[in-house]
Every structure is written in structure tokens, then in C-alpha cells.
């Protein structure tokens, strides 16, 4: 059964559009289940009716014509109950409705399963049989499994269809909306540019070209290149392989011929498709055909074709890379955006970022916030390889994306972009003003940094210090561990740029989602694994070199503070303090005269929350990492888009933990700050101030917004809002009541300009 399922899903996956996909589904499911009818009904969101979209066994002329409301017929019942329905004689059921045009009367038994994608019913899959009989448990289980597997495929095919301008009924749809998770606030209207990983055939987008001859020439050059490589490889292996084994290369060479794959690609290019897209299409078809074969030997051939495809693509991309053009309003899209990709687009041309994988707390999103680029992450349903060159809107507040936007929507968002520009100008005036509440409470606003670009932004926006310098960022963009000297130079730059303001440097926090290409860590549960201080305590040489570099960099400036990430207990803190003292002794012995800097601990693991007092006693300050603390308290992976809606720093458990940390830190007489993304949320910042945090550290983009907000409220009013929030047990209600309260104070502006997110 598993094999049948796998085959069907694979075949459906390679269908070129929704109609074809549904056609394959009904045909294959009918075959696999030996039933006389298989039909798919999809819920049309516009009419809210289940429409017959494909059938094998019913009258095909009723496709697109027969439809029923959710309160009509058995299909409507399956859809509304969201449960399978298994009937021996459908006509006996009170909800049975007869559609003459389908010829349905001939079929007695009925088995229907809802097709549900991300909690939303998208349709109903039905099989029917002439004779009266109850489908057995195995059949029911098969249909349910099938529809669960197909839900994603249908959603994907549907999305692809809407991007190409085809709706369910084949009528033109101007725009389509895709929902992800907010990565970086802001709105952008622009043109999609898809960035591909090198030579990954699966993600090559479709692209129409005018100059067909140029594409043919590119492809012929690629063919020649691969042919040459094959001949060389074969010759090189002459002494190690027997001639029969080397025949493989001849097979490859044959596949490249005009009469085979090579010729097919040429034909597709001639239809106006660019060479890379044509190659993907042809190779994909061949691979699918091979993979569906029952013979294991033939199935294996699929990998040969794939290999050949990748080799050709590598040649094509070499030629392409040089001519990649970025429009002035580039919206960069990739399956998994990486920090390096951000650097590829010429300055001033990048207006938005979209990533299929990752969520709001992915590193690239953190970088995007630092750079002030509207970003949406976790767009799992976006057929991103098909969107190159089309117009798009990015709504980084709501985490939504529109393809082919209508003029009305485009105008609406253009206004939002303009409104934001004006807002940013107004906020600049705030730069020199202190962050002080209406009743005179002073709230220091610090900034989080990582890239050098952050320094200038932070200074432009009036940061009063650096609350978190993520030292792993310079490590991540390196090809190997930077030496002590190299680190010293980087740290000196940070310290000097902000001097005399304090700079809090966090010791290397790798692991989890932060990987170093030259120090790979492979684990099943990386967020519960070898991360942060755990890595550096196991590698004291890395920790010592880094600490020495920080200390030496601070000579004469004396504005360094050291922060330790991922501390889960006293023993780790003590070991780290011991190493810091050792490094301090060493640099002093070497003649560098620096005082021992203040050392702090991050509170980002629940264990640390419960040990705040013990930890506080041994350090000079505390800093809450609300990104990880939220993730660990709620057991929600901060990078998993599937559970992104459960990730909520206004969850009552998080708020209580934060309040307790402040209480316990102050009981030990130690200052406590917060440096997670929560601190940069203007509405959340009101609550954090009321809790008594001594400083808030955030990305530079949001700093003026937080300052604007805090200057408009009084500490006493914030305390009222906090008391109100702490009395609510539901995160959603906390969001809405806080939003409402701020709106009533006339402060709606900063919690969502125009199309803003709830918070
Ligand atoms: C945090 O966890 O809140 C934090 C500031 O650290 P990072 O996001 O770098 O893990
Ligand atoms: Mg963290």
C-alpha cells in the first residue's frame, strides 16, 4: 500500500497543473481501490461550494458544473464534519442528494474523505461502488491516508495554477495570496528574482525568453562541455574500470544525442522556454518515468539522468551567473535564504525577501531586520521556482505575499510604503531625544548588532549601547575560524564605534540553527543539542582565543561587557568564569592592561529562569534572550513554520517567567535587560518596561518605533496594562486587549501602519 501511495503522490507531484493533477488522482485512486468511481470535489472559496473537479466513473460533462453548498449532499457533509463517511447505501442517508447530470444513481455505496490542508478543508475525495456494501476498514484507511497526502499536493498545484493566472475553473485569477510568517516588518512592491542553489535542478524556475537562438547556443555549449567531461572521465578511469563498466559513459553520451534527451530539451527551448527551464522539464519527465518503474535496475537509471541534468545545469549556470540582472525593486526569493545571498544583490536594489524555509527567528530574518528589509519566511506553499520575474507584494507585518497583485492592491501597498517612508523620516527627528515616558521614567534603549552594517544604522538611530553583539555573525561569514588577531580587529571596530557607550559581546553562540560551514554539527535535535556555551566549554581553545581577542580589543576603551549564552546551570557559569579569568590573566601577563570587564548571563533556558538568583549572585548583569526562552518554554521550534502560530512571546507563561526573572535579578541587586526580538516590538516593550527591565536591546530598525511608543505612555499606565495582561490566560486575548488599549490611547500608529499585524 505504501508503495502505491508513494507512486501516486510522485506522479501527482510532477503534474503540470491542477487539472492534470486531479485527473491523475481520480484515475490512480480508482485503480488502486478497484472502485467504479473516484471523484474530487474542491471547495471554491469564492462561492463556498464544493465543485466537482475531476471524476473517473461519473459523467465527465458534469465536471465544473455540479456543485453543492456545505449544507448540501453527502459531499457537503464530509466537508463540514471533517470526517470520513462510509455508507452501504448512499440513497438511504437523509443528506443524500441526487444529481441527474452525474449518472450517480447507479452507485449505491459511498466512501468520502475530507481533504484538509493546514486545518482548512480544501475538498472531498470520494469513491463509489455499484453494489451495496460497506467499504472495509482497510479501504477507509487508504482513502484517508491518500487524501492527507494529496492535500499538500493539491494546495501546491492550485498555487502554481494561480501564479500562472489560472484558477480552479481555468478562469483568469489576477492575484494570489500566500501566507508565511513575518520575518521583518515593512511592506514592499517589486519584482521577483529567484536565487537558486548551484546546480539544483529541482528549483530551476520557468522563464520565457525572446532570444531562442541564444538559449540554444547556451545549451549546445553545455552539451559540448558535458560530453567533453564524460570523455575525459572515461579515459581517466581506463586503468581502474573494466570496459563494460565504462560503457556507462557511452550511455551518458548517447542520452545527450539529438534523438534522446538533448533533442527533447532543444524542442522545449524552441517553444520559448529558457535552456535551464527546458532542461528541468525534460530531465524531470525522464526521472519520473524511471522512478515509477517496478524494476529496481531501471529505477536506478533515474539517478543517472539526474546526474546528467545537474552536470548540464552547472554549465548553463556558469554562463548565466554573469548575466543575472536585478531590477531596482528586487524581491529576492529562495528555498532557504542564506546570509550570503543577501550580499548578492547590489545595494539599493533589494526591497523584499522571501524564504520557503525558516521562520521569523531564523538568522537570515534577524539579519533582514537589521537591514530593514521587509521579509516573509516559511512560505511553504509558495511554488517559488515558478515566480521569477513576476510582480509581487511583500507584507512583512502579516507574513503575507501577493503574486500578480491587482492595481487596487498595488496602489494600496504603494501608499503603505510611502507612509512608512514618511514615518521613518519623522522618526529620525527622535534620534537625539531621550527615551523618557510621560511621567519621567528613563528607559535606556540598546541595540543588537552582528554585521558591520548594524553599527552605522545603530548610530543613526540613537542607540545608547549595544545590548547584544552576536559574535557568531562574523564567524558565519568566514571560511574558517578567524584567528585571535582577526577577531581582535573585528571586535575593536565594534568597541571603538560605540565608545564610550557599552558594548555587550556574546561569546560564540553556534549550534541550533547557526551553522559554521567549516565546523559542521549534525544532530537530530540541534536546538536541544550542542549549542552555545556547551560547544565553547567543550572547546576551551575557541573560548579562550575569543575572550583574549575581546579583552585585547578593549584596551584603552574599557567599554566591553561579556555575555554568556545558553547557560543552563551554575556549573557551566563557573567553568566559563574560570576561563574568562584565565584569559584575563594571560593578556595581562602579555602586557595588555585591561580591567576585568563586567560579565553577564543570558536567561534563555527555563532552568536558568528558576536559578536567576543563584546565577545573578555570580555575575554583574543578566540579559533575557526571549527568542530562545519562548521556544523552550512553549516547546515550539522557533524555525518551524508549521508551528509558527504557536510561537508567541505574549503567552502568559512567557510573561510570568519574564516577571519572575526581573524580580529575582533585582532581589540580588543586579540589572537585567532583554535582548530578544520581543524587546523591539513597540507594544511588548510597554509591558517589558512595566515589568522593570533596566534596558531593552533590539534591532536598529525598530529602535525609533519603540522610542516613539515609550515616549507617549506613562510608566503608571504601562503598569496598568501589564496588570491587565497578567490577568488574562489566553495569548490571543492578551494581544487584542493590549492592541485595543494602545489604540484607545491614540497609539495605533506604531502597531501596524495601514496593513499592520495585530502586534
Ligand atoms: C535570544 O535567544 O533571544 C537571543 C537574543 O539570542 P539568539 O536570537 O541569537 O539566539
Ligand atoms: Mg538565544
Amino acid at each position: 500500500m505504501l508503495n502505491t501511495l508513494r507512486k501516486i503522490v510522485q506522479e501527482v507531484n510532477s503534474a503540470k497543473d491542477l487539472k492534470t493533477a486531479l485527473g491523475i488522482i481520480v484515475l490512480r485512486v480508482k485503480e488502486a481501490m478497484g472502485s467504479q468511481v473516484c471523484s474530487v470535489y474542491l471547495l471554491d472559496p469564492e462561492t463556498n461550494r464544493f465543485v466537482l473537479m475531476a471524476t473517473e466513473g461519473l459523467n465527465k460533462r458534469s465536471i465544473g458544473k455540479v456543485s453543492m453548498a456545505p449544507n448540501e449532499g453527502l459531499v457537503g457533509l464530509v466537508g463540514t464534519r471533517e470526517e470520513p463517511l462510509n455508507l452501504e447505501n448512499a440513497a438511504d442517508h437523509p443528506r443524500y442528494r441526487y444529481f441527474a447530470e452525474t449518472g450517480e444513481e447507479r452507485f449505491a455505496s459511498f466512501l468520502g474523505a475530507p481533504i484538509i490542508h493546514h486545518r482548512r478543508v480544501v475538498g472531498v475525495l470520494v469513491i463509489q461502488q455499484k453494489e451495496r456494501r460497506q467499504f472495509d476498514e482497510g479501504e477507509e484507511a487508504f482513502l484517508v491516508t491518500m487524501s492527507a497526502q494529496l492535500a499538500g499536493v493539491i494546495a501546491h498545484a492550485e498555487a502554481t495554477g494561480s501564479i500562472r493566472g489560472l484558477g480552479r475553473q481555468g478562469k483568469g485569477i489576477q492575484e494570489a495570496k500566500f501566507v508565511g510568517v513575518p520575518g521583518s516588518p515593512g511592506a514592499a512592491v517589486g519584482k521577483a528574482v529567484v536565487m537558486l542553489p548551484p546546480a539544483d535542478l529541482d528549483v530551476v524556475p520557468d522563464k520565457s525568453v525572446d532570444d531562442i537562438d541564444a538559449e540554444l547556443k547556451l545549451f549546445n555549449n553545455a552539451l559540448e562541455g558535458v560530453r567533453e567531461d564524460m570523455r575525459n572521465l572515461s579515459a581517466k578511469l581506463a586503468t581502474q574500470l573494466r570496459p563494460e563498466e565504462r560503457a556507462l559513459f557511452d550511455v551518458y553520451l548517447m542520452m545527450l544525442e539529438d534523438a534522446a534527451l538533448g533533442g527533447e530539451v532543444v524542442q522545449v527551448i524552441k517553444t520559448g522556454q529558457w535552456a535551464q527551464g527546458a532542461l528541468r522539464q525534460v530531465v524531470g519527465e525522464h526521472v519520473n518515468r524511471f522512478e515509477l518503474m517496478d524494476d529496481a535496475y531501471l529505477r536506478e537509471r533515474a539517478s543517472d539522468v539526474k546526474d546528467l541534468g545537474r552536470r548540464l545545469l552547472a554549465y548553463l549556470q556558469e554562463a548565466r551567473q554573469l548575466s543575472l540582472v536585478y531590477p531596482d525593486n528586487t524581491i529576492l526569493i529562495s528555498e532557504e535564504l542564506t546570509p550570503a545571498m543577501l550580499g548578492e544583490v547590489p545595494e539599493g536594489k533589494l526591497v523584499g525577501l522571501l524564504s520557503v524555509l525558516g521562520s521569523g527567528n531564523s538568522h537570515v530574518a534577524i539579519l533582514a531586520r537589521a537591514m530593514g528589509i521587509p521579509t516573509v519566511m516559511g512560505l511553504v506553499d509558495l511554488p517559488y521556482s515558478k515566480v521569477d520575474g513576476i510582480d509581487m507584494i511583500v507584507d512583512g507585518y502579516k507574513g503575507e505575499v501577493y503574486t500578480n497583485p491587482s492595481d487596487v492592491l498595488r496602489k494600496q501597498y504603494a501608499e503603505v510604503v510611502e507612509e512608512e517612508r514618511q514615518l521613518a523620516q519623522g522618526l529620525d527627528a527622535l534620534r537625539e531625544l531621550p527615551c523618557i515616558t510621560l511621567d519621567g521614567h528613563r528607559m535606556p534603549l540598546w541595540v543588537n548588532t552582528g554585521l558591520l552594517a548594524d553599527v552605522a544604522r545603530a548610530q543613526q538611530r540613537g542607540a545608547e549601547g549595544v545590548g547584544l553583539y552576536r559574535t557568531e555573525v562574523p564567524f558565519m561569514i568566514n571560511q574558517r575560524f578567524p584567528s585571535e588577531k582577526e577577531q581582535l580587529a573585528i571586535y575593536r571596530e565594534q568597541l571603538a564605534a560605540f565608545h564610550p557607550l557599552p558594548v555587550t559581546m556574546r561569546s560564540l553562540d553556534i549550534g541550533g540553527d547557526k551553522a559554521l560551514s567549516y565546523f559542521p554539527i549534525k544532530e537530530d535535535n540541534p536546538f536541544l543539542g550542542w549549542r552555545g556555551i556547551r560547544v565553547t566549554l567543550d572547546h576551551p581553545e575557541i573560548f579562550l582565543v575569543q575572550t583574549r581577542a575581546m579583552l585585547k580589543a578593549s584596551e584603552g576603551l574599557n567599554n566591553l561587557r561579556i555575555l554568556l549564552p545558553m547557560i543552563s546551570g551554575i556549573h557551566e557559569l563557573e567553568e566559563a568564569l574560570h576561563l574568562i579569568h584565565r584569559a584575563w590573566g594571560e593578556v595581562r601577563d602579555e602586557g595588555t592592561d585591561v580591567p576585568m570587564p563586567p560579565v553577564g548571563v543570558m536567561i534563555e533556558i527555563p532552568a536558568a529562569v528558576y536559578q536567576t538568583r543563584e546565577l545573578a549572585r555570580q555575575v554583574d548583569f543578566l540579559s533575557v534572550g526571549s527568542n530562545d526562552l519562548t521556544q523552550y518554554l512553549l516547546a515550539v521550534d522557533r524555525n518551524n513554520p508549521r508551528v509558527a502560530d504557536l510561537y508567541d512571546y505574549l503567552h502568559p507563561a512567557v510573561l510570568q517567567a519574564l516577571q519572575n526573572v526581573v524580580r529575582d535579578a533585582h532581589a540580588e541587586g543586579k540589572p537585567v535587560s532583554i535582548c530578544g526580538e520581543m524587546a523591539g516590538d513597540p507594544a511588548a516593550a510597554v509591558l517589558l518596561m512595566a515589568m522593570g527591565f533596566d534596558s531593552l536591546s533590539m534591532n536598529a530598525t525598530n529602535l525609533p518605533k519603540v522610542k516613539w511608543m515609550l515616549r507617549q505612555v506613562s510608566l503608571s499606565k504601562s503598569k496598568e496594562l501589564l496588570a491587565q495582561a497578567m490577568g488574562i490566560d489566553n495569548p490571543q486575548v492578551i494581544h487584542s486587549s493590549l492592541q485595543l488599549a494602545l489604540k484607545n490611547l491614540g497609539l495605533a500608529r506604531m502597531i501596524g501602519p495601514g496593513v499592520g499585524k495585530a502586534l
Side-chain angles (χ1 to χ4, degrees):
M1 164 173 154
L2 211 60
N3 212 21
T4 316
L5 266 172
R6 184 180 60 85
K7 272 194 202 171
I8 300 179
V9 170
Q10 220 168 49
E11 202 183 342
V12 172
N13 255 327
S14 63
K16 68 176 195 307
D17 54 30
L18 182 63
K19 195 164 166 249
T20 320
L22 297 178
I24 297 170
I25 291 171
V26 289
L27 183 68
R28 295 284 180 240
V29 172
K30 178 173 168 271
E31 271 172 17
M33 301 201 59
S35 66
Q36 283 140 354
V37 176
C38 179
S39 317
V40 175
Y41 297 79
L42 293 186
L43 184 65
D44 185 335
E46 275 170 39
T47 57
N48 195 32
R49 292 179 75 81
F50 289 98
V51 183
L52 178 66
M53 296 299 292
T55 183
E56 278 295 326
L58 296 185
N59 186 346
K60 292 209 182 200
R61 262 174 298 186
S62 54
I63 291 177
K65 297 202 181 86
V66 165
S67 72
M68 57 212 80
N71 60 358
E72 280 176 343
L74 297 175
V75 167
L77 187 63
V78 173
T80 35
R81 282 180 54 211
E82 303 184 1
E83 272 180 84
L85 184 64
N86 187 349
L87 299 174
E88 191 181 331
N89 187 20
D92 288 348
H93 194 280
R95 279 285 297 263
Y96 176 76
R97 214 190 122 188
Y98 166 59
F99 294 92
E101 53 274 58
T102 61
E104 196 171 26
E105 72 282 8
R106 290 177 283 126
F107 303 100
S109 46
F110 173 103
L111 174 60
I115 306 171
I116 301 180
H117 185 61
H118 290 325
R119 295 190 182 192
R120 190 172 62 87
V121 174
V122 292
V124 175
L125 180 62
V126 174
I127 56 169
Q128 289 169 285
Q129 199 82 348
K130 269 191 191 133
E131 62 272 19
R132 281 175 172 231
R133 77 167 178 97
Q134 189 96 21
F135 288 97
D136 68 28
E137 256 177 48
E139 289 168 312
E140 190 174 321
F142 181 87
L143 200 70
V144 168
T145 315
M146 194 74 239
S147 83
Q149 292 249 353
L150 292 176
V153 181
I154 290 175
H156 185 81
E158 205 175 19
T160 312
S162 45
I163 276 176
R164 294 266 146 254
L166 289 171
R168 279 192 171 149
Q169 320 276 357
K171 53 185 184 205
I173 287 188
Q174 254 289 312
E175 71 191 27
K177 180 168 119 179
F178 297 89
V179 180
V181 289
S184 168
V189 182
K191 254 201 186 347
V193 176
V194 177
M195 185 162 279
L196 312 169
D200 182 352
L201 209 52
D202 291 341
V203 300
V204 168
D206 283 332
K207 206 184 256 188
S208 315
V209 283
D210 293 322
D211 193 348
I212 290 175
D213 286 343
E215 291 302 306
L216 287 173
K217 193 155 170 269
L218 278 173
F219 182 64
N220 279 327
N221 289 344
L223 275 179
E224 233 353 277
V226 176
R227 276 196 191 111
E228 188 61 24
D229 288 349
M230 288 297 148
R231 282 190 212 108
N232 289 342
L233 266 174
S234 178
K236 262 195 213 149
L237 293 171
T239 54
Q240 299 163 48
L241 290 181
R242 294 197 309 275
E244 314 85 89
E245 291 165 337
R246 282 201 289 137
L248 170 75
F249 294 101
D250 297 331
V251 175
Y252 269 43
L253 286 171
M254 271 157 57
M255 282 199 258
L256 298 173
E257 295 299 352
D258 282 355
L261 196 134
E264 286 180 45
V265 177
V266 166
Q267 287 313 315
V268 181
I269 294 175
K270 284 184 178 163
T271 66
Q273 177 69 265
W274 70 323
Q276 296 189 30
L279 179 68
R280 187 212 65 228
Q281 192 177 318
V282 172
V283 169
E285 282 162 11
H286 280 263
V287 167
N288 281 328
R289 216 171 302 141
F290 279 122
E291 278 179 346
L292 285 175
M293 290 182 180
D294 288 312
D295 182 289
Y297 173 79
L298 286 177
R299 260 208 314 272
E300 271 304 297
R301 300 283 66 75
S303 63
D304 293 347
V305 182
K306 262 192 228 163
D307 183 19
L308 204 55
R310 273 192 222 110
R311 284 169 188 276
L312 286 164
L313 184 65
Y315 270 96
L316 287 173
Q317 290 189 339
E318 234 168 55
R320 274 277 149 195
Q321 215 75 108
L322 303 168
S323 56
L324 203 61
V325 226
Y326 295 99
D328 281 345
N329 48 359
T330 294
I331 293 174
L332 191 66
I333 302 165
S334 187
E335 185 178 25
E336 187 161 26
L337 279 176
T338 64
M341 287 180 184
L342 306 191
E344 301 263 352
V345 187
E347 228 187 309
K349 294 202 167 193
L350 188 61
V351 298
L353 290 168
L354 304 179
S355 184
V356 175
L357 302 175
S359 79
N361 293 291
S362 298
H363 241 234
V364 73
I366 290 170
L367 295 184
R369 286 194 283 271
M371 293 162 77
I373 305 166
T375 302
V376 178
M377 308 288 293
L379 283 158
V380 281
D381 290 330
L382 179 75
Y384 74 101
S385 62
K386 311 243 187 242
V387 300
D388 195 76
I390 69 168
D391 289 342
M392 279 196 153
I393 286 174
V394 178
D395 184 337
Y397 296 104
K398 291 187 185 162
E400 290 173 356
V401 172
Y402 295 89
T403 52
N404 300 320
S406 65
D407 287 347
V408 178
L409 197 71
R410 193 191 296 263
K411 192 163 163 276
Q412 198 182 324
Y413 271 90
E415 278 164 16
V416 174
V417 172
E418 177 55 24
E419 199 180 302
E420 289 205 317
R421 206 186 52 77
Q422 288 176 10
L423 195 70
Q425 271 181 353
L427 291 174
D428 278 350
L430 276 177
R431 190 178 134 185
E432 305 301 335
L433 300 174
C435 181
I436 192 160
T437 60
L438 293 175
D439 50 358
H441 179 71
R442 182 87 179 75
M443 186 77 227
L445 299 187
W446 294 18
V447 77
N448 296 347
T449 61
L451 296 170
L452 233 101
D454 297 328
V455 175
R457 285 179 72 82
Q459 285 171 337
Q460 281 159 14
R461 283 155 184 259
E464 297 169 74
V466 176
L468 171 66
Y469 169 54
R470 291 184 166 98
T471 60
E472 58 277 6
V473 176
F475 277 69
M476 282 162 77
I477 50 182
N478 227 306
Q479 301 306 315
R480 53 170 173 76
F481 278 112
S483 68
E484 182 176 319
K485 252 202 168 133
E486 286 165 336
Q487 289 187 52
L488 193 158
I490 299 167
Y491 301 156
R492 180 87 188 169
E493 217 162 337
Q494 283 277 331
L495 292 164
F498 288 97
H499 182 262
L501 300 173
V503 174
T504 313
M505 295 199 167
R506 179 171 71 182
S507 73
L508 190 64
D509 186 19
I510 52 170
D513 64 331
K514 297 175 222 168
L516 302 179
S517 57
Y518 47 90
F519 190 69
I521 302 173
K522 263 225 141 346
E523 292 175 314
D524 282 346
N525 289 304
F527 277 112
L528 299 180
W530 208 40
R531 257 200 93 181
I533 202 76
R534 302 170 183 181
V535 178
T536 47
L537 288 181
D538 285 350
H539 278 280
E541 77 285 12
I542 297 175
F543 190 86
L544 284 168
V545 165
Q546 181 172 44
T547 313
R548 287 163 50 92
M550 287 178 183
L551 291 167
K552 285 185 179 173
S554 73
E555 193 180 15
L557 299 173
N558 301 338
N559 57 341
L560 167 69
R561 298 165 17 120
I562 295 179
L563 181 61
L564 303 167
M566 286 292 291
I567 294 283
S568 64
I570 296 297
H571 58 287
E572 283 168 342
L573 173 60
E574 285 173 350
E575 272 183 69
L577 286 173
H578 172 76
L579 288 174
I580 293 174
H581 275 97
R582 198 171 124 193
W584 184 51
E586 285 170 8
V587 298
R588 278 158 50 102
D589 287 348
E590 288 169 26
T592 309
D593 180 24
V594 284
M596 178 69 186
V599 177
V601 152
M602 285 195 78
I603 305 290
E604 52 182 349
I605 295 181
V609 172
Y610 291 103
Q611 289 205 293
T612 302
R613 288 193 76 144
E614 292 82 352
L615 293 167
R617 259 175 239 140
Q618 303 217 34
V619 290
D620 303 296
F621 66 95
L622 298 174
S623 183
V624 175
S626 57
N627 304 339
D628 277 314
L629 187 58
T630 306
Q631 144 166 286
Y632 293 126
L633 274 176
L634 304 183
V636 175
D637 179 344
R638 62 195 256 188
N639 287 328
N640 184 344
R642 241 184 238 138
V643 288
D645 53 350
L646 294 176
Y647 183 95
D648 191 345
Y649 47 66
L650 290 186
H651 189 289
V654 179
L655 295 181
Q656 276 182 40
L658 294 172
Q659 224 179 15
N660 292 353
V661 170
V662 177
R663 180 197 64 204
D664 291 352
H666 287 170
E668 293 298 328
K670 297 291 161 66
V672 56
S673 90
I674 176 162
C675 61
E677 295 304 307
M678 180 182 188
D681 172 340
V686 173
L687 300 184
L688 296 172
M689 177 175 73
M691 285 181 190
F693 276 98
D694 298 288
S695 59
L696 307 178
S697 190
M698 65 206 71
N699 65 73
T701 307
N702 283 19
L703 192 142
K705 296 184 186 179
V706 171
K707 192 192 271 189
W708 181 90
M709 177 67 91
L710 298 187
R711 284 175 57 88
Q712 311 283 322
V713 293
S714 63
L715 180 61
S716 55
K717 186 72 198 170
S718 323
K719 286 190 172 164
E720 264 175 47
L721 295 180
L722 176 64
Q724 186 189 334
M726 297 308 287
I728 303 172
D729 57 9
N730 179 321
Q732 290 310 324
V733 184
I734 296 181
H735 276 269
S736 38
S737 64
L738 182 57
Q739 190 183 24
L740 188 69
L742 292 172
K743 248 189 194 143
N744 289 342
L745 289 172
L747 304 176
R749 193 167 158 230
M750 221 44 75
I751 51 175
V755 290
K757 199 189 166 222
L759 274 184

